[in-house]
Amino acid sequence: MELLPLNLSDKATFNLYLKKKPHILSNYSFENSFIWRGLFDVRWALINEKFCLFFKNEVGCFMNMPPLGGLDPETIKTCFEIMEDFNHNREISRIENIEPLDLVFFKEGNFRLYEKTQEYIVAQEDMGSLKGEKLKHKRSLYNFFIKNYKETFRNYEEKDRQDVLRLYEDWMRERMSKNSDSIYQAMLKDNFKALSEMLVHFGNLKFLAKVAECDRAIRGFISGFTLNPGLFCINFEIADLKFKGLAQFIFCEFSKTLSSYPQINIMDDSGIENIKQTKLSYRPIKTISSYTALMNA
């Protein structure tokens, strides 16, 4: 079966199948699937009237989410056969980012399941106000920033692309200097490729993005996309670490613009403890588990 490269022209088809039911995990978005073309050869096929998305690289081929449009044994069987044609290794062939409501289907089939990670959901009202004792420290940092710095917080524009990429590279180098964990460092590099792809195609994708300017330069960047009518997802947040309170400022100000979304998905922690603690510091109202399925022998 021919797998087609995922292009901007495929967005309508992707969304047609995506909208057959609501989703809560961050991967269930054309935008968030498309930008990973910076790291993977992303391909798709319609199988039994299901939209099936495959990610390929030198390691192998996997599905970043289950088929869109419904689950049935025949389609899943065909998907694993396609992956096996590339991998010849059942430990590589897998379906990631299975949502909790779809677990029953996989539990009833011939699959091994494990929890991959958890995504964190926060209340928009809390993030936009930073009120209350539980967010006192965030509010203190926010107040320090607005007291000590003159800033402009505005919409991202195409002319900002190179400045944002330089900001990320500087931020990444500083993060790497403080954390030598190889998984963490690889994640930072992978995210840079995704960010680059996002900014190249920004005008054709439905991302919302803002920048913060201080001292006549872009010092902060934040972006995200709609997951469903009541849930927004923030996928990038970058702040110059020399400006105390800037991270809290851009997160709070961005959240204020999201008043039509009661909840915000701030994504997962990639299994990295310091990221987990940062996510928890925003006092999430719930977490959503994400699961991976491999086929038994």
Side-chain angles (χ1 to χ4, degrees), residues 224-275:
F225 53 91
T226 299
L227 270 171
N228 65 55
L231 182 63
F232 191 88
C233 179
I234 293 178
N235 67 327
F236 283 103
E237 181 196 341
I238 313 156
D240 187 326
L241 301 178
K242 295 188 294 294
F243 291 79
K244 180 180 176 180
L246 174 57
Q248 292 70 31
F249 170 81
I250 62 174
F251 191 84
C252 179
E253 292 301 309
F254 192 66
S255 296
K256 288 177 182 178
T257 70
L258 306 176
S259 58
S260 61
Y261 302 93
Q263 297 180 351
I264 302 172
N265 182 328
I266 56 173
M267 304 187 78
D268 63 27
D269 55 35
S270 300
I272 298 170
E273 186 61 29
N274 67 315
I275 298 179

Side-chain angles (χ1 to χ4, degrees), residues 154-211:
R154 60 170 176 80
N155 288 335
Y156 167 83
E157 299 174 12
E158 174 60 30
K159 65 180 177 64
D160 301 323
R161 189 194 337 163
Q162 292 305 319
D163 289 334
V164 169
L165 292 176
R166 279 193 291 268
L167 173 67
Y168 186 97
E169 289 179 308
D170 292 343
W171 175 84
M172 178 173 64
R173 281 192 290 268
E174 188 158 358
R175 289 294 187 189
M176 285 181 167
S177 70
K178 296 179 180 180
N179 189 330
S180 61
D181 181 87
S182 60
I183 295 176
Y184 178 67
Q185 295 206 358
M187 182 200 71
L188 292 176
K189 293 177 182 177
D190 290 349
N191 285 344
F192 177 75
K193 294 178 181 178
L195 174 63
S196 300
E197 188 76 3
M198 182 183 98
L199 297 184
V200 166
H201 299 283
F202 188 84
N204 294 306
L205 297 169
K206 287 190 175 181
F207 282 102
L208 176 64
K210 301 274 189 178
V211 296

Side-chain angles (χ1 to χ4, degrees), residues 46-258:
L46 285 183
I47 303 173
N48 301 323
E49 282 303 305
K50 310 296 190 301
F51 191 99
C52 303
L53 194 65
F54 300 87
F55 281 35
K56 296 167 56 184
N57 63 10
E58 65 279 1
V59 176
C61 176
F62 69 97
M63 296 185 73
N64 198 41
M65 66 183 74
L68 299 177
L71 297 173
D72 67 86
E74 188 60 34
T75 301
I76 296 296
K77 179 175 179 291
T78 301
C79 287
F80 271 95
E81 289 172 351
I82 290 171
M83 288 187 282
E84 277 301 288
D85 283 343
F86 290 101
N87 299 329
H88 307 293
N89 183 342
R90 290 202 170 193
E91 297 304 310
I92 297 175
S93 304
R94 64 196 185 276
I95 300 176
E96 297 189 350
N97 299 303
I98 297 169
E99 295 182 305
L101 290 177
D102 288 332
L103 277 181
V104 172
F105 171 86
F106 287 96
K107 286 179 178 178
E108 292 175 348
N110 185 35
F111 302 99
R112 283 177 287 142
L113 288 164
Y114 64 88
E115 185 178 0
K116 177 188 175 186
T117 187
Q118 293 183 330
E119 296 194 352
Y120 299 83
I121 310 296
V122 296
Q124 181 276 334
E125 184 177 7
D126 292 343
M127 299 304 100
S129 65
L130 297 180
K131 290 181 180 178
E133 187 65 25
K134 64 182 181 179
L135 294 170
K136 181 179 179 180
H137 182 60
K138 303 289 186 189
R139 185 169 65 253
S140 175
L141 290 169
Y142 172 94
N143 288 335
F144 178 90
F145 177 80
I146 61 174
K147 180 179 179 180
N148 290 277
Y149 300 104
K150 293 182 178 180
E151 89 295 325
T152 299
F153 191 64
R154 60 170 176 80
N155 288 335
Y156 167 83
E157 299 174 12
E158 174 60 30
K159 65 180 177 64
D160 301 323
R161 189 194 337 163
Q162 292 305 319
D163 289 334
V164 169
L165 292 176
R166 279 193 291 268
L167 173 67
Y168 186 97
E169 289 179 308
D170 292 343
W171 175 84
M172 178 173 64
R173 281 192 290 268
E174 188 158 358
R175 289 294 187 189
M176 285 181 167
S177 70
K178 296 179 180 180
N179 189 330
S180 61
D181 181 87
S182 60
I183 295 176
Y184 178 67
Q185 295 206 358
M187 182 200 71
L188 292 176
K189 293 177 182 177
D190 290 349
N191 285 344
F192 177 75
K193 294 178 181 178
L195 174 63
S196 300
E197 188 76 3
M198 182 183 98
L199 297 184
V200 166
H201 299 283
F202 188 84
N204 294 306
L205 297 169
K206 287 190 175 181
F207 282 102
L208 176 64
K210 301 274 189 178
V211 296
E213 292 179 316
C214 298
D215 295 345
R216 299 181 182 180
I218 291 177
R219 308 293 185 178
F221 174 83
I222 188 167
S223 64
F225 53 91
T226 299
L227 270 171
N228 65 55
L231 182 63
F232 191 88
C233 179
I234 293 178
N235 67 327
F236 283 103
E237 181 196 341
I238 313 156
D240 187 326
L241 301 178
K242 295 188 294 294
F243 291 79
K244 180 180 176 180
L246 174 57
Q248 292 70 31
F249 170 81
I250 62 174
F251 191 84
C252 179
E253 292 301 309
F254 192 66
S255 296
K256 288 177 182 178
T257 70
L258 306 176

